[in-house]
Amino acid sequence: MNQPITAADKTFIALRDDIVEGRIEAGSKLSETELSTKFAVSRAVIREAINRLESCHIVERKANVGARVVALSPQGLIELYQVRESLEGMAARLAATNMTDEEIADLSALLQSHFDEVKGGESYYQEAGDVDFHYRIILGSKNKHLISMLFDGIYHLVRMYRVQLGMAGPRVTTAYDEHKHIVQAILNRDAELAEMLMRRHILYSKNSIEHKLS
Amino acid sequence: MNQPITAADKTFIALRDDIVEGRIEAGSKLSETELSTKFAVSRAVIREAINRLESCHIVERKANVGARVVALSPQGLIELYQVRESLEGMAARLAATNMTDEEIADLSALLQSHFDEVKGGESYYQEAGDVDFHYRIILGSKNKHLISMLFDGIYHLVRMYRVQLGMAGPRVTTAYDEHKHIVQAILNRDAELAEMLMRRHILYSKNSIEHKLS
DNA sequence: ACTTGCTATATTGTCGACAACTTGGTGTTA
DNA sequence: TAACACCAAGTTGTCGACAATATAGCAAGT
């Protein structure tokens, strides 16, 4: 799926991006016929794309009625971060035992490059870097279910909230230190601590966002 | 979806049960044409059912090649229980704050009925009761994502392992005590403890299963 | 005016046929 | 014999048409 092959793949990704980026607004109805003309594919392809979006929890469907883009709400965001805390905490725990020394070294290098950017005054410790950090740890868990749940499901939703509620990326200043401590715990193969630190990290992140929203 | 409406709903559920119960064996290929004759529906319906099975992680699909039922492995079971530990732990934590007094009372009553059964010598503290207990706590979390991930995704897979690797339900003797302590923690609104106990409970369960397998 | 029931319309669900792709086998060549 | 190209059969992907269902609007009755 990294290389979209079929028309349904491409349509799924295009539609998902349209929704996540807000070009199709949250809560709006998805008409199959309308979309099929817009994307120049048959309704079967659109239906498959919508089905996949549904399993990502990006749209909701009712039989014989149709599909709507999910509505964003503060409550929904909180629930999302609760799941993130749970899953990514476990991912950090597993990563501490399952990552190879090489992978940990790479992770350290990534962190160092972030440090250089922050120090350089660019303060360009933006979403891309943060996401990359979390990605590596999730992959490091080597747990198929964790990986797919987070990558295919949760992360696009998180991004949708980020984009549409206009949060300017993750917290720049303190997040770096938190990342550093997590890497240190993984380096020490301290699974318990890695999980705890990751959960705190996400909890702080959630609190920060809630604060911005209020 | 509780009441399957469309043909795709019914086919999805029928197919899922066939796989979980082992009537379609793990690792086997799913031919769309073959299934469409077997269930007397069009291939479109079969395709939708298979798509949904894929998002449950019950089958795996490769573009232009087809779908296979997932293969069961000790490693897969371990990964599954890691996710369960993570998610159900969080569910217990949330349940401790989000369940109503009434729901907690019902949960206590359920536990009591289990106690009566165990005491009555029937030792009929079987899967149904165990599953019911966990269901209520998951629902008590009031977290949509948690609920759907566990109900639609994880639980059918767990059941598939249970049936096909022939594990005779959950541990009868000690599980009751663990359940009791979890309920007590929820009753005390002690979220922290509830999570910890639930995680232990699932961890023990995993260890018990691993022991049986070896 | 409000409710009730029907009808018309539009949308989703299902189907069978065709197109595109993978795979295994065959034959050719070095 | 090994390697390569190609062909054939079968499977999946895509399409347009038809059937079933929901929704909005109108009409009639109280």
Side-chain angles (χ1 to χ4, degrees):
Chain A
M1 169 73 70
N2 293 337
Q3 231 85 317
I5 302 294
T6 70
D9 289 336
K10 283 182 267 189
T11 307
F12 164 62
I13 291 175
L15 238 183
R16 188 184 61 191
D17 288 349
D18 276 359
I19 292 173
V20 168
E21 308 285 343
R23 288 185 291 276
I24 296 177
E25 67 180 340
S28 62
K29 184 166 182 343
L30 294 179
S31 161
E32 294 183 357
T33 52
E34 188 182 326
L35 290 172
S36 76
T37 61
K38 175 177 171 184
F39 286 98
V41 291
S42 79
R43 269 185 55 226
V45 172
I46 295 292
R47 280 176 68 80
E48 177 163 347
I50 289 179
N51 277 332
R52 294 199 205 166
L53 288 172
E54 190 188 12
S55 36
C56 298
H57 301 259
I58 287 177
V59 310
E60 286 168 347
R61 243 176 105 175
K62 270 192 290 189
N64 289 312
V65 173
R68 308 194 77 88
V69 179
V70 294
L72 303 185
S73 70
Q75 177 60 22
L77 185 63
I78 290 172
E79 291 186 12
L80 205 55
Y81 268 73
Q82 288 167 344
V83 176
R84 255 195 91 184
E85 179 186 334
S86 163
L87 290 178
E88 289 206 46
M90 179 56 81
R93 166 184 285 264
L94 297 174
T97 57
N98 292 341
M99 280 180 89
T100 66
D101 292 337
E102 213 175 342
E103 288 168 335
I104 297 177
D106 284 353
L107 186 62
S108 296
L110 178 70
L111 196 68
Q112 182 62 43
S113 79
H114 289 168
F115 176 71
D116 294 341
E117 285 169 355
V118 174
K119 195 176 186 181
E122 304 182 47
S123 184
Y124 191 61
Y125 191 57
Q126 287 299 341
E127 183 173 344
D130 184 65
V131 167
D132 199 12
F133 177 82
H134 285 266
Y135 270 27
R136 296 210 191 191
I137 290 177
I138 292 163
L139 284 175
S141 76
K142 311 282 173 78
N143 183 310
K144 253 188 317 184
H145 297 282
L146 272 180
I147 293 170
S148 85
M149 279 179 168
L150 284 164
F151 283 16
D152 300 337
I154 304 286
Y155 260 65
H156 296 288
L157 266 178
V158 170
R159 189 163 146 65
M160 186 169 166
Y161 272 101
R162 281 232 184 95
V163 171
Q164 305 214 12
L165 299 190
M167 316 167 198
R171 300 154 297 133
V172 175
T173 49
T174 61
Y176 170 76
D177 286 329
E178 291 163 25
H179 284 188
K180 194 173 70 178
H181 291 136
I182 291 170
V183 171
Q184 189 61 49
I186 292 176
L187 203 67
N188 294 339
R189 302 293 189 182
D190 188 336
E192 201 87 25
L193 183 61
E195 173 168 17
M196 181 175 284
L197 290 175
M198 178 62 87
R199 288 183 67 156
R200 289 261 169 106
H201 174 56
I202 290 170
L203 206 54
Y204 290 157
S205 178
K206 188 190 80 174
N207 291 340
S208 160
I209 287 170
E210 281 183 307
H211 186 261
K212 281 183 193 169
L213 284 184
S214 58
Chain B
M1 168 75 70
N2 292 340
Q3 230 84 321
I5 302 294
T6 70
D9 289 336
K10 281 181 268 191
T11 307
F12 163 63
I13 291 175
L15 237 183
R16 187 183 62 190
D17 287 350
D18 277 358
I19 292 173
V20 167
E21 307 287 342
R23 289 185 289 276
I24 296 177
E25 66 180 340
S28 63
K29 184 165 183 341
L30 294 178
S31 161
E32 294 183 358
T33 51
E34 187 183 326
L35 291 172
S36 75
T37 60
K38 174 177 172 184
F39 286 99
V41 291
S42 79
R43 270 186 55 226
V45 171
I46 296 291
R47 281 176 67 80
E48 177 162 346
I50 289 180
N51 276 331
R52 293 198 207 168
L53 288 172
E54 191 189 11
S55 35
C56 298
H57 302 259
I58 288 177
V59 309
E60 285 168 348
R61 231 173 132 187
K62 271 193 291 189
N64 288 313
V65 173
R68 307 193 77 88
V69 179
V70 293
L72 303 184
S73 70
Q75 176 60 24
L77 185 63
I78 290 172
E79 291 186 12
L80 205 55
Y81 268 72
Q82 287 166 344
V83 175
R84 256 193 91 184
E85 179 187 335
S86 164
L87 290 178
E88 289 206 46
M90 178 57 80
R93 166 184 286 265
L94 297 174
T97 57
N98 292 341
M99 279 180 90
T100 66
D101 291 338
E102 213 174 344
E103 287 168 337
I104 297 177
D106 284 354
L107 185 62
S108 295
L110 178 69
L111 197 69
Q112 182 62 43
S113 79
H114 289 169
F115 176 72
D116 294 340
E117 284 170 356
V118 173
K119 196 174 189 182
E122 305 182 48
S123 185
Y124 191 60
Y125 191 56
Q126 287 299 342
E127 183 173 343
D130 184 65
V131 167
D132 199 13
F133 177 81
H134 284 265
Y135 270 28
R136 297 210 191 190
I137 291 177
I138 293 163
L139 284 175
S141 75
K142 311 282 172 80
N143 183 310
K144 253 189 318 183
H145 297 283
L146 228 40
I147 293 170
S148 84
M149 278 179 168
L150 285 164
F151 284 15
D152 300 337
I154 303 285
Y155 261 65
H156 294 288
L157 266 177
V158 169
R159 189 163 147 64
M160 185 169 167
Y161 272 101
R162 280 232 182 95
V163 171
Q164 306 215 11
L165 298 191
M167 315 167 197
R171 301 154 297 133
V172 175
T173 49
T174 61
Y176 170 77
D177 286 329
E178 291 164 25
H179 284 186
K180 194 173 69 176
H181 290 137
I182 291 170
V183 171
Q184 189 61 48
I186 292 176
L187 204 66
N188 294 339
R189 302 294 189 184
D190 188 337
E192 201 87 25
L193 184 61
E195 173 169 17
M196 181 173 283
L197 291 175
M198 179 59 88
R199 288 183 66 157
R200 290 260 169 106
H201 175 56
I202 291 170
L203 206 55
Y204 290 156
S205 178
K206 187 190 78 172
N207 291 340
S208 160
I209 288 170
E210 281 183 307
H211 185 261
K212 282 185 195 169
L213 285 185
S214 61

